[in-house]
Amino acid sequence: MRIKSIFDEISSTAGDNAKMNVLRKYKDNELLKEVLYQIKSKRVKFFIKQIPDYTHFETKYSLEDALNEIKLISNRKLTGFAAISHLKEVLELLHPDDAYIIERIIDKDPKNGLGSTYINKVIPNLIEKTPYQGAKPYSEKLARDIFKKYEYAYSDVKMDGRYANAIIQKGEVELESRQGERTHIPIESLLFEELSKFPDGVLNGELTMINEDGSPMDRYTSNGIIASIVDIQGRGKKNDRSDEDTAKKLVAFHKKHGNFFDAVSNLRYTVWDSITLDDYFNKKSDIEYKDRLDYLYKRTPVLTCTRVAIVERKKVYSFEEAMVHFQEILKRGLEGTILKAPTATWKDGKPTWAIKMKLEMNIDLKVIGFKYGKVGSKNEHVYSTILLESSCGLLRTDASGMKEVMMKDVTERADELIGTIVEIRCCGLSQNSKGEHSTMHPSVVELRDDKDTCDSLKSAQEIEAMAIGLTQKIS
């Protein structure tokens, strides 16, 4: 069975779970595993931006032969025009179905809707997992421990955009999500042009948007526009949307957000860390944070960029000073800060040398509706999200984070739960460009059948102010 037939079967199957079931049928196919690895592994690069035009002459190579031939390109034994000529020759001497698979490998996109996460669920550890250094949840003890060990710490503003690694090799840039999937934005953008001038390495950062006047766009509007840009540029999850459907998407985008390329020009990438390619693939770096910052400032073009910037940060010399900076950031309507030790190394996970300074507050809201889980997921037939609003109707939010037992209960009792009270935990209140109020990162705490009243926007704002005030008093 040709690999393309397997790809076609996966592509024509709807839903992530169903696609994985198709893959399970062929999970012992060694050639399939090699193809999937060549497509999805970040270690394998070909540095060819466009498949050359070619005409099928005869079938001289097998797919296995072709995989060996293109290694001359990924190993950099052939580069530039020689690499393109070699690829053209290989494609012309392959069965068309196999040539299609080689195209998918060169493009690093299977076009069948299967991402690395789902592939690894079926074939464990086939694709290297994307490393991600996070931060420990707030703990006064952990924060104070940093100042016991070090003279100072860095207090970085916590970004609240769309996370993206920028993997830069030989001037070629790939943006990827925390899950390791490609984040599609136009490569003709000034953002890509600026990133391509950085030395080889991996940047950790987030995509955000600015308004036409240069001010930061609010989180919800910003992330919504970025998601639409990624969807249009990537031509949908399966990357096989027709030109007609993409044109319709562009029209809808224009009506809602304005010109597509004007929006792309308002994209910004804020960097807070940088590691080498080898350290990225090895999932650890022994270079200290202060030295990684020094590298960003002195050995990259970031200071001359207009679309790429280093995250705002401040040196703080005590726990109390860190808390004051945290409060200043909250008052600016931002989410919080990350406290980092100056000698912090880099590793996959949540190390004790990075502490998330973040506001948390609980409020009560009433149920106005529900949403099912994502189609194709294990929760697609149960309600995984509760739609909520304040007593005055001026604050609305969608809260998830329920455990399976609660989701089952909510689904079974949905009708009787309309109008009842739910307690949520969030990271503060937010307001979009339309003046609509919501919450940041809401999650369901519990159903409050012991209450029949909930918070208004005003009382929620008072709770937020109190939480900020109490945090400010910590000493």
Side-chain angles (χ1 to χ4, degrees):
M1 186 177 193
R2 292 193 181 276
I3 300 302
K4 184 178 186 299
S5 297
I6 300 175
F7 272 42
D8 289 344
E9 186 177 349
I10 294 170
S11 182
S12 63
T13 303
D16 295 331
N17 287 336
K19 288 180 183 292
M20 287 192 290
N21 285 335
V22 174
L23 183 58
R24 284 189 182 94
K25 294 193 299 183
Y26 309 103
K27 67 183 180 66
D28 295 323
N29 185 318
E30 295 301 322
L31 181 57
L32 174 63
K33 288 194 275 189
E34 177 63 19
V35 167
L36 291 174
Y37 180 80
Q38 291 281 330
I39 293 176
K40 301 302 294 186
S41 173
K42 297 297 186 300
R43 288 182 183 267
V44 182
K45 299 291 287 184
F46 295 94
F47 306 100
I48 294 177
K49 295 182 179 180
Q50 186 173 350
I51 302 294
D53 292 332
Y54 67 94
T55 302
H56 174 66
F57 287 132
E58 61 176 318
T59 302
K60 178 179 178 182
Y61 289 134
S62 66
L63 181 56
E64 292 91 332
D65 293 333
L67 291 175
N68 286 326
E69 290 295 329
I70 63 174
K71 286 180 181 177
L72 294 173
I73 303 173
S74 62
N75 292 338
R76 305 292 287 169
K77 292 181 179 179
L78 294 175
T79 60
F81 181 75
I84 295 173
S85 297
H86 183 66
L87 175 61
K88 181 176 185 292
E89 178 184 347
V90 170
L91 291 169
E92 290 177 337
L93 298 177
L94 276 171
H95 185 284
D97 285 355
D98 293 337
Y100 174 84
I101 295 301
I102 294 300
E103 288 188 34
R104 301 282 60 74
I105 291 173
I106 300 298
D107 281 343
K108 305 293 287 182
D109 189 344
K111 290 190 176 181
N112 58 18
L114 270 185
S116 300
T117 300
Y118 297 112
I119 293 171
N120 280 338
K121 285 183 178 180
V122 177
I123 310 172
N125 302 316
L126 178 66
I127 314 300
E128 301 94 343
K129 292 182 180 179
T130 299
Y132 172 77
Q133 178 168 279
K136 287 283 188 185
Y138 174 72
S139 159
E140 182 177 345
K141 180 182 183 304
L142 289 178
R144 287 187 178 278
D145 283 347
I146 288 180
F147 294 102
K148 289 180 181 178
K149 297 177 182 177
Y150 308 103
E151 178 188 358
Y152 67 91
Y154 291 103
S155 181
D156 292 4
V157 172
K158 187 179 186 302
M159 299 301 297
D160 202 18
R162 184 185 180 108
Y163 178 85
N165 286 324
I167 303 173
I168 303 160
Q169 299 184 64
K170 311 295 182 186
E172 183 175 299
V173 180
E174 181 178 349
L175 296 178
E176 66 167 6
S177 70
R178 190 177 304 185
Q179 290 73 37
E181 304 305 329
R182 182 180 293 184
T183 298
H184 297 271
I185 66 171
I187 61 174
E188 304 87 359
S189 65
L190 181 55
L191 173 58
F192 258 88
E193 181 183 331
E194 290 186 349
L195 286 171
S196 69
K197 296 175 182 177
F198 278 65
D200 285 7
V202 179
L203 306 176
N204 303 145
E206 294 200 17
L207 290 166
T208 57
M209 301 280 298
I210 61 167
N211 295 305
E212 292 301 325
D213 63 2
S215 62
M217 190 176 291
D218 71 86
R219 172 183 181 267
Y220 290 100
T221 304
S222 173
N223 286 350
I225 294 176
I226 294 171
S228 294
I229 291 172
V230 171
D231 176 60
I232 289 171
Q233 188 65 22
R235 300 179 70 87
K237 184 175 179 182
K238 289 163 61 176
N239 203 15
D240 60 358
R241 185 192 297 134
S242 69
D243 290 341
E244 182 181 356
D245 287 339
T246 297
K248 290 179 181 177
K249 287 271 188 180
L250 281 168
V251 170
F253 184 98
H254 181 80
K255 288 181 178 178
K256 188 173 183 180
H257 305 300
N259 182 273
F260 178 77
F261 288 102
D262 286 345
V264 170
S265 72
N266 288 330
L267 279 170
R268 296 295 184 272
Y269 183 68
T270 304
V271 184
W272 63 76
D273 214 332
S274 171
I275 57 175
T276 68
L277 286 166
D278 285 342
D279 287 346
Y280 169 79
F281 291 126
N282 294 326
K283 301 183 179 182
K284 67 184 293 292
S285 172
D286 292 328
I287 301 172
E288 295 180 349
Y289 188 50
K290 57 182 174 60
D291 294 326
R292 300 199 301 274
L293 291 180
D294 188 64
Y295 169 83
L296 276 173
Y297 282 110
K298 295 180 179 179
R299 298 184 60 191
T300 73
V302 68
L303 296 180
T304 62
C305 291
T306 60
R307 300 300 190 273
V308 183
I310 298 178
V311 73
E312 179 186 344
R313 59 171 48 84
K314 181 179 181 180
K315 271 187 180 181
V316 289
Y317 293 85
S318 68
F319 173 77
E320 289 72 23
E321 192 175 339
M323 293 305 300
V324 169
H325 185 234
F326 168 62
Q327 292 302 318
E328 291 171 353
I329 297 305
L330 287 182
K331 289 175 182 177
R332 284 164 50 185
L334 302 175
E335 190 177 344
T337 55
I338 306 290
L339 191 66
K340 297 179 180 178
T343 61
T345 55
W346 195 101
K347 73 171 186 176
D348 185 29
K350 295 182 178 181
T352 56
W353 53 75
I355 312 299
K356 191 182 299 182
M357 312 289 278
K358 188 175 173 180
L359 173 69
E360 285 196 347
M361 54 181 274
N362 288 25
I363 57 175
D364 296 329
L365 300 172
K366 67 179 178 181
V367 178
I368 59 172
F370 308 91
K371 286 182 183 177
Y372 283 106
K374 180 182 175 183
V375 175
S377 72
K378 66 178 181 179
N379 298 327
E380 67 174 325
H381 300 302
V382 294
Y383 289 132
S384 63
T385 302
I386 304 179
L387 312 186
L388 302 160
E389 73 174 16
S390 59
S391 60
C392 59
L394 296 177
L395 185 155
R396 290 193 172 192
T397 196
D398 301 348
S400 54
M402 294 181 284
K403 293 184 178 179
E404 289 187 19
V405 173
M406 183 180 286
M407 285 190 284
K408 183 175 183 295
D409 176 50
V410 166
T411 304
E412 292 174 349
R413 299 195 295 128
D415 290 342
E416 66 183 79
L417 289 175
I418 295 291
T420 61
I421 310 303
V422 170
E423 180 184 351
I424 69 165
R425 179 175 294 114
C426 65
C427 300
L429 306 181
S430 64
Q431 187 176 12
N432 65 20
S433 58
K434 298 178 182 179
E436 299 166 332
H437 294 272
S438 188
T439 65
M440 295 189 290
H441 306 298
S443 59
V444 175
V445 176
E446 62 176 319
L447 308 179
R448 297 303 302 262
D449 56 6
D450 59 329
K451 288 188 174 185
D452 57 11
T453 61
C454 67
D455 287 299
S456 63
L457 172 61
K458 181 180 179 182
S459 64
Q461 290 171 330
E462 290 171 349
I463 291 170
E464 180 182 47
M466 183 174 66
I468 293 173
L470 286 175
T471 305
Q472 198 170 24
K473 293 175 184 176
I474 292 176
S475 60

